[in-house]
């Protein structure tokens, strides 16, 4: 999660919403890492999670990331939560909750409806991730 | 929708789930078209809708596809429905409903929770789109 937080800081430096994600293989090695790039690309689907999933799938040569863990600094939105289910990711670890835009424990609660649901661990480094987001949005007002 | 159905047929010819999508600008001109490519790439996010949205955003140089219409042969899944909301697409027209995997009128009903919801028109060319999917899955059994 420390690496995901560093990626979120890189995003903020590019005026992108500071969210970072790391995908790890079953053996713990890093498969892919990314931060938001929606404005830079521009691509409305270029959230950190989607970019990491696409990169890892290309690297593994498989559309399914069996046994993999996704570490992300913010509760995934509905699009990303559904992509996590599509990719059959085994475990989702996220830092800060997102009551307004989240799709895991808020809003449509994607995994309550999907055929695949990962194990979910939340609240890891929550304060650091939330502080990054708060500072970013405060600086843009 | 005729073009989206032709794209779905192209997908089936590549052993991809036969779903096709076309994105049109406010003036009715085509901005992007795509079909599923999840196995070919491989990329679990490479649904027809996501590929069309990414292509159109790159072409327009904007992460928001204001005023645009997405035509797709199957009810979008939760991932694609949420991407449609992220992209601020104005109108969604789809052919066949998807009671098992759909995220618009089924499952998490994404637009009931999202800050942006498109106008929705469904059932256009429904029989043709459903027949394509049925034949595809029957041929793989």
């Amino acid at each position: 999660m420390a690496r995901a937080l560093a990626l979120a800081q890189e995003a903020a430096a590019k005026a992108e919403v500071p969210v970072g994600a790391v995908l790890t293989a079953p053996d713990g090695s890093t498969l892919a890492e990314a931060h938001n790039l929606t404005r830079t690309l521009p691509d409305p689907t270029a959230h950190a999670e989607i970019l990491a999933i696409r990169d890892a799938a290309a690297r593994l040569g498989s559309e399914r990331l069996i046994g993999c863990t996704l570490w992300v600094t913010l509760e995934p939105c509905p699009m990303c939560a559904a992509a996590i289910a599509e990719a059959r990711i085994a475990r989702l670890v996220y830092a800060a909750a997102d009551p307004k835009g989240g799709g895991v424990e808020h809003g449509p609660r994607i995994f309550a409806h999907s055929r695949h649901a990962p194990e979910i661990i939340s609240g890891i480094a929550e304060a650091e991730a939330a502080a990054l987001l708060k500072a970013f949005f405060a600086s843009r007002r």
Side-chain angles (χ1 to χ4, degrees), chain A residues 45-135:
Chain A
T45 75
H47 289 188
E49 302 94 314
I50 298 280
L51 295 174
I53 288 169
R54 291 177 50 209
D55 189 17
R59 186 161 308 188
L60 293 177
S62 166
E63 58 173 318
R64 300 203 165 169
L65 307 176
I66 307 293
C68 295
T69 299
L70 181 68
W71 307 75
V72 57
T73 58
L74 183 66
E75 178 185 350
C77 79
M79 174 179 70
C80 292
I84 287 164
E86 291 286 333
R88 304 293 187 269
I89 287 173
R91 192 179 300 110
L92 166 65
V93 187
Y94 66 85
D98 185 359
K100 280 188 192 166
V104 177
E105 53 176 321
H106 298 96
R109 296 171 195 269
I110 291 296
F111 301 122
H113 301 275
S114 61
R115 281 166 283 188
H116 170 83
E119 177 192 355
I120 297 169
I121 300 167
S122 61
I124 309 288
E126 182 167 12
E128 295 91 320
L132 259 176
L133 285 154
K134 197 175 169 187

Side-chain angles (χ1 to χ4, degrees), chain A residues 4-9 12 18-19 73 127-137:
Chain A
L5 284 164
L7 288 159
Q9 285 177 312
V19 178
T73 58
E128 295 91 320
L132 259 176
L133 285 154
K134 197 175 169 187
F136 177 79
F137 287 111

Side-chain angles (χ1 to χ4, degrees), chain A residues 7-20:
Chain A
L7 288 159
Q9 285 177 312
E10 283 180 34
K14 296 177 190 168
E16 296 277 358
V17 175
V19 178

